[in-house]
Amino acid sequence: AITNNGGPARLLRNDLPGPEAWIGLRLLEASGMRDALGAVVTLDRLGAASLTRRVATDGSYLSARDPRLLFGLRGAAAGAELRVRWPSGRAESFPVPPLGRYSTLREGTGRPLATPAE
């Protein structure tokens, strides 16, 4: 649903010819109590371009959005891997969770990755 200042409300629909695979993620800080705002997730796929998303609730003036991330996949995610750079600077790798539903990733529960020197 979209509303514009002084304009009509609009409802947009995304009608696709068939079901497509997707991955939904919620990222939490190590405490498990707060969304990991600012975390960057990269989905590395075999034979396809990598996809990157940033956890955020901002959008535009007087707006907010769901902090969960959504990756649309055109085809299977076999051999894919998720890399997360947390706001703390820690970097981790996670296996791809089940498709077609939202999963939660918590900082400190993935496989550590080397972080570049700053």
Side-chain angles (χ1 to χ4, degrees), residues 16-64:
L16 297 172
E20 292 288 340
W22 58 276
I23 298 169
L25 300 173
R26 182 174 183 201
L27 276 71
L28 297 177
E29 293 180 348
S31 68
M33 302 297 291
R34 294 179 18 178
D35 289 300
L37 298 179
V40 176
V41 179
T42 301
L43 174 64
D44 292 320
R45 303 178 296 163
L46 292 177
S50 295
L51 303 172
T52 301
R53 306 281 187 273
R54 181 180 66 88
V55 178
T57 57
D58 60 342
S60 62
Y61 178 70
L62 292 178
S63 71

mmCIF file of all heavy atoms in Angstrom, residues 16-64:
data_model
loop_
_atom_site.group_PDB
_atom_site.id
_atom_site.type_symbol
_atom_site.label_atom_id
_atom_site.label_comp_id
_atom_site.label_asym_id
_atom_site.label_seq_id
_atom_site.Cartn_x
_atom_site.Cartn_y
_atom_site.Cartn_z
ATOM 1 N N LEU A 16 2.517 -13.110 -10.405
ATOM 2 C CA LEU A 16 3.467 -13.891 -11.187
ATOM 3 C C LEU A 16 2.761 -15.111 -11.761
ATOM 4 O O LEU A 16 1.795 -15.611 -11.184
ATOM 5 C CB LEU A 16 4.638 -14.331 -10.313
ATOM 6 C CG LEU A 16 5.495 -13.198 -9.745
ATOM 7 C CD1 LEU A 16 6.501 -13.753 -8.744
ATOM 8 C CD2 LEU A 16 6.219 -12.491 -10.867
ATOM 9 N N PRO A 17 3.266 -15.638 -12.868
ATOM 10 C CA PRO A 17 2.607 -16.784 -13.484
ATOM 11 C C PRO A 17 2.695 -18.060 -12.644
ATOM 12 O O PRO A 17 1.883 -18.945 -12.789
ATOM 13 C CB PRO A 17 3.337 -16.945 -14.817
ATOM 14 C CG PRO A 17 4.639 -16.267 -14.628
ATOM 15 C CD PRO A 17 4.402 -15.170 -13.634
ATOM 16 N N GLY A 18 3.666 -18.178 -11.781
ATOM 17 C CA GLY A 18 3.814 -19.377 -10.964
ATOM 18 C C GLY A 18 4.632 -19.071 -9.733
ATOM 19 O O GLY A 18 5.193 -17.988 -9.594
ATOM 20 N N PRO A 19 4.714 -20.014 -8.804
ATOM 21 C CA PRO A 19 5.495 -19.760 -7.592
ATOM 22 C C PRO A 19 6.988 -19.695 -7.897
ATOM 23 O O PRO A 19 7.493 -20.441 -8.726
ATOM 24 C CB PRO A 19 5.157 -20.956 -6.700
ATOM 25 C CG PRO A 19 4.736 -22.031 -7.644
ATOM 26 C CD PRO A 19 4.112 -21.346 -8.823
ATOM 27 N N GLU A 20 7.652 -18.781 -7.266
ATOM 28 C CA GLU A 20 9.099 -18.631 -7.381
ATOM 29 C C GLU A 20 9.721 -18.877 -6.016
ATOM 30 O O GLU A 20 9.105 -18.621 -4.979
ATOM 31 C CB GLU A 20 9.469 -17.215 -7.865
ATOM 32 C CG GLU A 20 9.069 -16.918 -9.287
ATOM 33 C CD GLU A 20 9.918 -17.636 -10.320
ATOM 34 O OE1 GLU A 20 11.045 -18.072 -9.994
ATOM 35 O OE2 GLU A 20 9.453 -17.765 -11.452
ATOM 36 N N ALA A 21 10.926 -19.359 -6.005
ATOM 37 C CA ALA A 21 11.638 -19.604 -4.752
ATOM 38 C C ALA A 21 12.090 -18.276 -4.154
ATOM 39 O O ALA A 21 12.431 -17.335 -4.873
ATOM 40 C CB ALA A 21 12.843 -20.508 -5.004
ATOM 41 N N TRP A 22 12.067 -18.199 -2.833
ATOM 42 C CA TRP A 22 12.526 -16.997 -2.137
ATOM 43 C C TRP A 22 13.096 -17.382 -0.780
ATOM 44 O O TRP A 22 12.812 -18.443 -0.252
ATOM 45 C CB TRP A 22 11.417 -15.961 -1.991
ATOM 46 C CG TRP A 22 10.204 -16.452 -1.263
ATOM 47 C CD1 TRP A 22 9.160 -17.152 -1.799
ATOM 48 C CD2 TRP A 22 9.902 -16.286 0.123
ATOM 49 N NE1 TRP A 22 8.224 -17.426 -0.826
ATOM 50 C CE2 TRP A 22 8.656 -16.910 0.363
ATOM 51 C CE3 TRP A 22 10.560 -15.678 1.187
ATOM 52 C CZ2 TRP A 22 8.061 -16.936 1.616
ATOM 53 C CZ3 TRP A 22 9.951 -15.701 2.432
ATOM 54 C CH2 TRP A 22 8.721 -16.324 2.639
ATOM 55 N N ILE A 23 13.925 -16.488 -0.241
ATOM 56 C CA ILE A 23 14.495 -16.643 1.098
ATOM 57 C C ILE A 23 14.164 -15.384 1.871
ATOM 58 O O ILE A 23 14.418 -14.270 1.402
ATOM 59 C CB ILE A 23 16.027 -16.809 1.048
ATOM 60 C CG1 ILE A 23 16.412 -18.071 0.289
ATOM 61 C CG2 ILE A 23 16.612 -16.828 2.454
ATOM 62 C CD1 ILE A 23 17.897 -18.155 -0.012
ATOM 63 N N GLY A 24 13.608 -15.532 3.045
ATOM 64 C CA GLY A 24 13.327 -14.407 3.922
ATOM 65 C C GLY A 24 14.187 -14.516 5.172
ATOM 66 O O GLY A 24 14.346 -15.608 5.728
ATOM 67 N N LEU A 25 14.780 -13.412 5.601
ATOM 68 C CA LEU A 25 15.681 -13.430 6.748
ATOM 69 C C LEU A 25 15.359 -12.326 7.735
ATOM 70 O O LEU A 25 15.043 -11.198 7.343
ATOM 71 C CB LEU A 25 17.134 -13.228 6.304
ATOM 72 C CG LEU A 25 17.725 -14.250 5.353
ATOM 73 C CD1 LEU A 25 19.106 -13.788 4.898
ATOM 74 C CD2 LEU A 25 17.808 -15.607 6.017
ATOM 75 N N ARG A 26 15.459 -12.652 9.010
ATOM 76 C CA ARG A 26 15.467 -11.653 10.069
ATOM 77 C C ARG A 26 16.817 -11.783 10.749
ATOM 78 O O ARG A 26 17.212 -12.885 11.143
ATOM 79 C CB ARG A 26 14.349 -11.875 11.073
ATOM 80 C CG ARG A 26 14.362 -10.794 12.143
ATOM 81 C CD ARG A 26 13.199 -10.877 13.073
ATOM 82 N NE ARG A 26 13.273 -9.754 14.010
ATOM 83 C CZ ARG A 26 12.656 -9.748 15.175
ATOM 84 N NH1 ARG A 26 11.893 -10.765 15.534
ATOM 85 N NH2 ARG A 26 12.782 -8.709 15.974
ATOM 86 N N LEU A 27 17.548 -10.691 10.890
ATOM 87 C CA LEU A 27 18.862 -10.706 11.508
ATOM 88 C C LEU A 27 18.789 -10.057 12.878
ATOM 89 O O LEU A 27 18.266 -8.949 13.009
ATOM 90 C CB LEU A 27 19.885 -9.968 10.643
ATOM 91 C CG LEU A 27 20.490 -10.824 9.531
ATOM 92 C CD1 LEU A 27 19.494 -11.109 8.441
ATOM 93 C CD2 LEU A 27 21.732 -10.192 8.985
ATOM 94 N N LEU A 28 19.319 -10.755 13.868
ATOM 95 C CA LEU A 28 19.321 -10.256 15.238
ATOM 96 C C LEU A 28 20.740 -10.110 15.752
ATOM 97 O O LEU A 28 21.614 -10.911 15.420
ATOM 98 C CB LEU A 28 18.552 -11.214 16.157
ATOM 99 C CG LEU A 28 17.071 -11.407 15.858
ATOM 100 C CD1 LEU A 28 16.480 -12.450 16.807
ATOM 101 C CD2 LEU A 28 16.316 -10.098 15.971
ATOM 102 N N GLU A 29 20.948 -9.099 16.600
ATOM 103 C CA GLU A 29 22.244 -8.928 17.264
ATOM 104 C C GLU A 29 22.502 -10.129 18.160
ATOM 105 O O GLU A 29 21.602 -10.930 18.434
ATOM 106 C CB GLU A 29 22.245 -7.639 18.083
ATOM 107 C CG GLU A 29 22.176 -6.390 17.231
ATOM 108 C CD GLU A 29 22.172 -5.112 18.045
ATOM 109 O OE1 GLU A 29 21.988 -5.186 19.282
ATOM 110 O OE2 GLU A 29 22.351 -4.048 17.450
ATOM 111 N N ALA A 30 23.716 -10.256 18.671
ATOM 112 C CA ALA A 30 24.111 -11.412 19.472
ATOM 113 C C ALA A 30 23.197 -11.636 20.673
ATOM 114 O O ALA A 30 22.940 -12.770 21.064
ATOM 115 C CB ALA A 30 25.563 -11.257 19.933
ATOM 116 N N SER A 31 22.665 -10.565 21.254
ATOM 117 C CA SER A 31 21.780 -10.697 22.413
ATOM 118 C C SER A 31 20.454 -11.348 22.038
ATOM 119 O O SER A 31 19.747 -11.869 22.894
ATOM 120 C CB SER A 31 21.499 -9.322 23.028
ATOM 121 O OG SER A 31 20.699 -8.542 22.136
ATOM 122 N N GLY A 32 20.117 -11.311 20.756
ATOM 123 C CA GLY A 32 18.857 -11.870 20.292
ATOM 124 C C GLY A 32 17.659 -10.983 20.581
ATOM 125 O O GLY A 32 16.526 -11.368 20.343
ATOM 126 N N MET A 33 17.918 -9.782 21.084
ATOM 127 C CA MET A 33 16.829 -8.898 21.496
ATOM 128 C C MET A 33 16.525 -7.789 20.488
ATOM 129 O O MET A 33 15.451 -7.208 20.530
ATOM 130 C CB MET A 33 17.157 -8.258 22.852
ATOM 131 C CG MET A 33 17.407 -9.266 23.954
ATOM 132 S SD MET A 33 15.983 -10.286 24.321
ATOM 133 C CE MET A 33 14.922 -9.072 25.040
ATOM 134 N N ARG A 34 17.508 -7.469 19.601
ATOM 135 C CA ARG A 34 17.307 -6.333 18.692
ATOM 136 C C ARG A 34 17.646 -6.721 17.266
ATOM 137 O O ARG A 34 18.556 -7.517 17.018
ATOM 138 C CB ARG A 34 18.196 -5.164 19.121
ATOM 139 C CG ARG A 34 17.803 -4.589 20.447
ATOM 140 C CD ARG A 34 18.660 -3.458 20.930
ATOM 141 N NE ARG A 34 19.463 -2.817 19.909
ATOM 142 C CZ ARG A 34 20.245 -1.787 20.136
ATOM 143 N NH1 ARG A 34 20.333 -1.280 21.332
ATOM 144 N NH2 ARG A 34 20.949 -1.256 19.175
ATOM 145 N N ASP A 35 16.922 -6.105 16.322
ATOM 146 C CA ASP A 35 17.264 -6.291 14.923
ATOM 147 C C ASP A 35 18.644 -5.719 14.657
ATOM 148 O O ASP A 35 19.022 -4.690 15.228
ATOM 149 C CB ASP A 35 16.229 -5.591 14.030
ATOM 150 C CG ASP A 35 14.896 -6.300 14.043
ATOM 151 O OD1 ASP A 35 14.857 -7.485 13.655
ATOM 152 O OD2 ASP A 35 13.893 -5.678 14.442
ATOM 153 N N ALA A 36 19.398 -6.371 13.810
ATOM 154 C CA ALA A 36 20.767 -5.961 13.496
ATOM 155 C C ALA A 36 20.749 -4.904 12.399
ATOM 156 O O ALA A 36 21.168 -5.147 11.263
ATOM 157 C CB ALA A 36 21.603 -7.169 13.090
ATOM 158 N N LEU A 37 20.250 -3.714 12.738
ATOM 159 C CA LEU A 37 20.160 -2.627 11.761
ATOM 160 C C LEU A 37 21.554 -2.271 11.258
ATOM 161 O O LEU A 37 22.476 -2.095 12.037
ATOM 162 C CB LEU A 37 19.489 -1.405 12.380
ATOM 163 C CG LEU A 37 18.054 -1.618 12.854
ATOM 164 C CD1 LEU A 37 17.513 -0.338 13.472
ATOM 165 C CD2 LEU A 37 17.166 -2.090 11.728
ATOM 166 N N GLY A 38 21.694 -2.179 9.944
ATOM 167 C CA GLY A 38 22.975 -1.872 9.329
ATOM 168 C C GLY A 38 23.735 -3.099 8.860
ATOM 169 O O GLY A 38 24.717 -2.978 8.141
ATOM 170 N N ALA A 39 23.300 -4.298 9.252
ATOM 171 C CA ALA A 39 23.961 -5.519 8.779
ATOM 172 C C ALA A 39 23.779 -5.630 7.262
ATOM 173 O O ALA A 39 22.750 -5.231 6.716
ATOM 174 C CB ALA A 39 23.388 -6.745 9.475
ATOM 175 N N VAL A 40 24.783 -6.163 6.598
ATOM 176 C CA VAL A 40 24.737 -6.345 5.153
ATOM 177 C C VAL A 40 24.842 -7.835 4.857
ATOM 178 O O VAL A 40 25.755 -8.507 5.337
ATOM 179 C CB VAL A 40 25.877 -5.572 4.456
ATOM 180 C CG1 VAL A 40 25.882 -5.850 2.958
ATOM 181 C CG2 VAL A 40 25.753 -4.082 4.725
ATOM 182 N N VAL A 41 23.904 -8.342 4.070
ATOM 183 C CA VAL A 41 23.863 -9.766 3.717
ATOM 184 C C VAL A 41 24.087 -9.908 2.223
ATOM 185 O O VAL A 41 23.460 -9.219 1.422
ATOM 186 C CB VAL A 41 22.512 -10.401 4.095
ATOM 187 C CG1 VAL A 41 22.480 -11.868 3.703
ATOM 188 C CG2 VAL A 41 22.240 -10.234 5.573
ATOM 189 N N THR A 42 24.999 -10.810 1.864
ATOM 190 C CA THR A 42 25.242 -11.125 0.460
ATOM 191 C C THR A 42 24.922 -12.594 0.244
ATOM 192 O O THR A 42 25.391 -13.454 0.987
ATOM 193 C CB THR A 42 26.705 -10.840 0.071
ATOM 194 O OG1 THR A 42 26.981 -9.455 0.304
ATOM 195 C CG2 THR A 42 26.961 -11.159 -1.388
ATOM 196 N N LEU A 43 24.112 -12.869 -0.755
ATOM 197 C CA LEU A 43 23.769 -14.228 -1.142
ATOM 198 C C LEU A 43 24.595 -14.563 -2.373
ATOM 199 O O LEU A 43 24.379 -13.998 -3.445
ATOM 200 C CB LEU A 43 22.272 -14.344 -1.442
ATOM 201 C CG LEU A 43 21.789 -15.684 -1.988
ATOM 202 C CD1 LEU A 43 22.001 -16.799 -0.968
ATOM 203 C CD2 LEU A 43 20.331 -15.585 -2.383
ATOM 204 N N ASP A 44 25.586 -15.447 -2.185
ATOM 205 C CA ASP A 44 26.421 -15.895 -3.300
ATOM 206 C C ASP A 44 25.781 -17.129 -3.913
ATOM 207 O O ASP A 44 25.551 -18.126 -3.224
ATOM 208 C CB ASP A 44 27.836 -16.229 -2.810
ATOM 209 C CG ASP A 44 28.594 -14.999 -2.356
ATOM 210 O OD1 ASP A 44 28.472 -13.960 -3.017
ATOM 211 O OD2 ASP A 44 29.305 -15.088 -1.346
ATOM 212 N N ARG A 45 25.465 -17.052 -5.224
ATOM 213 C CA ARG A 45 24.807 -18.151 -5.919
ATOM 214 C C ARG A 45 25.715 -18.706 -6.999
ATOM 215 O O ARG A 45 26.419 -17.950 -7.665
ATOM 216 C CB ARG A 45 23.498 -17.672 -6.555
ATOM 217 C CG ARG A 45 22.544 -17.053 -5.553
ATOM 218 C CD ARG A 45 21.283 -16.544 -6.191
ATOM 219 N NE ARG A 45 21.581 -15.443 -7.114
ATOM 220 C CZ ARG A 45 20.745 -15.008 -8.049
ATOM 221 N NH1 ARG A 45 19.577 -15.568 -8.202
ATOM 222 N NH2 ARG A 45 21.069 -14.001 -8.831
ATOM 223 N N LEU A 46 25.691 -20.019 -7.174
ATOM 224 C CA LEU A 46 26.474 -20.658 -8.231
ATOM 225 C C LEU A 46 25.866 -20.328 -9.586
ATOM 226 O O LEU A 46 24.663 -20.476 -9.782
ATOM 227 C CB LEU A 46 26.498 -22.176 -8.036
ATOM 228 C CG LEU A 46 27.258 -22.685 -6.823
ATOM 229 C CD1 LEU A 46 27.129 -24.197 -6.724
ATOM 230 C CD2 LEU A 46 28.719 -22.292 -6.898
ATOM 231 N N GLY A 47 26.683 -19.848 -10.500
ATOM 232 C CA GLY A 47 26.218 -19.582 -11.849
ATOM 233 C C GLY A 47 25.303 -18.382 -12.002
ATOM 234 O O GLY A 47 24.654 -18.233 -13.024
ATOM 235 N N ALA A 48 25.219 -17.543 -10.965
ATOM 236 C CA ALA A 48 24.360 -16.354 -11.040
ATOM 237 C C ALA A 48 25.011 -15.226 -10.250
ATOM 238 O O ALA A 48 25.887 -15.461 -9.419
ATOM 239 C CB ALA A 48 22.972 -16.657 -10.491
ATOM 240 N N ALA A 49 24.563 -14.027 -10.507
ATOM 241 C CA ALA A 49 25.107 -12.860 -9.801
ATOM 242 C C ALA A 49 24.767 -12.925 -8.312
ATOM 243 O O ALA A 49 23.715 -13.449 -7.923
ATOM 244 C CB ALA A 49 24.545 -11.577 -10.402
ATOM 245 N N SER A 50 25.654 -12.408 -7.476
ATOM 246 C CA SER A 50 25.391 -12.303 -6.044
ATOM 247 C C SER A 50 24.327 -11.238 -5.799
ATOM 248 O O SER A 50 24.223 -10.268 -6.553
ATOM 249 C CB SER A 50 26.672 -11.923 -5.292
ATOM 250 O OG SER A 50 27.626 -12.951 -5.404
ATOM 251 N N LEU A 51 23.555 -11.421 -4.742
ATOM 252 C CA LEU A 51 22.537 -10.456 -4.346
ATOM 253 C C LEU A 51 22.903 -9.904 -2.976
ATOM 254 O O LEU A 51 23.322 -10.658 -2.096
ATOM 255 C CB LEU A 51 21.161 -11.121 -4.271
ATOM 256 C CG LEU A 51 20.665 -11.806 -5.539
ATOM 257 C CD1 LEU A 51 19.393 -12.583 -5.254
ATOM 258 C CD2 LEU A 51 20.439 -10.776 -6.631
ATOM 259 N N THR A 52 22.754 -8.592 -2.766
ATOM 260 C CA THR A 52 23.111 -7.955 -1.497
ATOM 261 C C THR A 52 21.932 -7.149 -0.981
ATOM 262 O O THR A 52 21.257 -6.456 -1.737
ATOM 263 C CB THR A 52 24.342 -7.038 -1.674
ATOM 264 O OG1 THR A 52 25.431 -7.830 -2.158
ATOM 265 C CG2 THR A 52 24.742 -6.393 -0.367
ATOM 266 N N ARG A 53 21.702 -7.246 0.335
ATOM 267 C CA ARG A 53 20.649 -6.484 1.006
ATOM 268 C C ARG A 53 21.194 -5.934 2.314
ATOM 269 O O ARG A 53 22.058 -6.532 2.939
ATOM 270 C CB ARG A 53 19.430 -7.374 1.324
ATOM 271 C CG ARG A 53 18.836 -8.123 0.159
ATOM 272 C CD ARG A 53 17.958 -7.224 -0.695
ATOM 273 N NE ARG A 53 17.265 -7.962 -1.716
ATOM 274 C CZ ARG A 53 17.754 -8.238 -2.925
ATOM 275 N NH1 ARG A 53 18.955 -7.848 -3.250
ATOM 276 N NH2 ARG A 53 17.033 -8.903 -3.803
ATOM 277 N N ARG A 54 20.647 -4.787 2.762
ATOM 278 C CA ARG A 54 21.032 -4.153 4.027
ATOM 279 C C ARG A 54 19.819 -4.100 4.937
ATOM 280 O O ARG A 54 18.731 -3.722 4.513
ATOM 281 C CB ARG A 54 21.556 -2.732 3.778
ATOM 282 C CG ARG A 54 22.014 -2.010 5.038
ATOM 283 C CD ARG A 54 22.525 -0.609 4.719
ATOM 284 N NE ARG A 54 21.496 0.284 4.221
ATOM 285 C CZ ARG A 54 20.710 1.037 4.982
ATOM 286 N NH1 ARG A 54 20.813 1.001 6.294
ATOM 287 N NH2 ARG A 54 19.821 1.842 4.443
ATOM 288 N N VAL A 55 20.020 -4.458 6.203
ATOM 289 C CA VAL A 55 18.938 -4.404 7.175
ATOM 290 C C VAL A 55 18.698 -2.951 7.553
ATOM 291 O O VAL A 55 19.616 -2.259 7.994
ATOM 292 C CB VAL A 55 19.279 -5.223 8.445
ATOM 293 C CG1 VAL A 55 18.156 -5.122 9.466
ATOM 294 C CG2 VAL A 55 19.556 -6.672 8.083
ATOM 295 N N ALA A 56 17.472 -2.487 7.353
ATOM 296 C CA ALA A 56 17.139 -1.094 7.645
ATOM 297 C C ALA A 56 15.640 -0.968 7.890
ATOM 298 O O ALA A 56 14.857 -1.806 7.452
ATOM 299 C CB ALA A 56 17.544 -0.197 6.470
ATOM 300 N N THR A 57 15.262 0.063 8.594
ATOM 301 C CA THR A 57 13.841 0.372 8.766
ATOM 302 C C THR A 57 13.504 1.725 8.159
ATOM 303 O O THR A 57 12.342 2.125 8.161
ATOM 304 C CB THR A 57 13.448 0.398 10.262
ATOM 305 O OG1 THR A 57 14.268 1.338 10.943
ATOM 306 C CG2 THR A 57 13.594 -0.982 10.883
ATOM 307 N N ASP A 58 14.525 2.431 7.662
ATOM 308 C CA ASP A 58 14.282 3.742 7.060
ATOM 309 C C ASP A 58 13.832 3.562 5.611
ATOM 310 O O ASP A 58 13.942 2.504 5.037
ATOM 311 C CB ASP A 58 15.543 4.603 7.118
ATOM 312 C CG ASP A 58 16.721 3.975 6.379
ATOM 313 O OD1 ASP A 58 16.685 2.755 6.124
ATOM 314 O OD2 ASP A 58 17.673 4.694 6.058
ATOM 315 N N GLY A 59 13.320 4.593 5.045
ATOM 316 C CA GLY A 59 12.894 4.566 3.651
ATOM 317 C C GLY A 59 12.879 5.974 3.106
ATOM 318 O O GLY A 59 13.775 6.394 2.413
ATOM 319 N N SER A 60 11.863 6.697 3.481
ATOM 320 C CA SER A 60 11.753 8.085 3.076
ATOM 321 C C SER A 60 11.021 8.839 4.175
ATOM 322 O O SER A 60 10.677 8.270 5.208
ATOM 323 C CB SER A 60 11.005 8.194 1.737
ATOM 324 O OG SER A 60 9.689 7.696 1.870
ATOM 325 N N TYR A 61 10.773 10.090 3.942
ATOM 326 C CA TYR A 61 10.158 10.964 4.939
ATOM 327 C C TYR A 61 8.866 10.361 5.493
ATOM 328 O O TYR A 61 7.975 9.966 4.742
ATOM 329 C CB TYR A 61 9.896 12.335 4.313
ATOM 330 C CG TYR A 61 9.228 13.309 5.238
ATOM 331 C CD1 TYR A 61 9.913 13.834 6.334
ATOM 332 C CD2 TYR A 61 7.917 13.690 5.039
ATOM 333 C CE1 TYR A 61 9.301 14.725 7.190
ATOM 334 C CE2 TYR A 61 7.294 14.593 5.881
ATOM 335 C CZ TYR A 61 7.992 15.104 6.967
ATOM 336 O OH TYR A 61 7.391 15.981 7.823
ATOM 337 N N LEU A 62 8.761 10.280 6.815
ATOM 338 C CA LEU A 62 7.590 9.772 7.528
ATOM 339 C C LEU A 62 7.200 8.356 7.094
ATOM 340 O O LEU A 62 6.029 8.024 6.977
ATOM 341 C CB LEU A 62 6.394 10.714 7.368
ATOM 342 C CG LEU A 62 6.525 12.079 8.045
ATOM 343 C CD1 LEU A 62 5.291 12.911 7.769
ATOM 344 C CD2 LEU A 62 6.736 11.942 9.540
ATOM 345 N N SER A 63 8.201 7.522 6.853
ATOM 346 C CA SER A 63 7.895 6.149 6.473
ATOM 347 C C SER A 63 8.749 5.193 7.295
ATOM 348 O O SER A 63 9.727 5.580 7.921
ATOM 349 C CB SER A 63 8.154 5.925 4.986
ATOM 350 O OG SER A 63 9.545 5.936 4.727
ATOM 351 N N ALA A 64 8.367 3.958 7.300
ATOM 352 C CA ALA A 64 9.126 2.900 7.953
ATOM 353 C C ALA A 64 8.885 1.625 7.173
ATOM 354 O O ALA A 64 7.907 1.510 6.432
ATOM 355 C CB ALA A 64 8.673 2.730 9.404
#
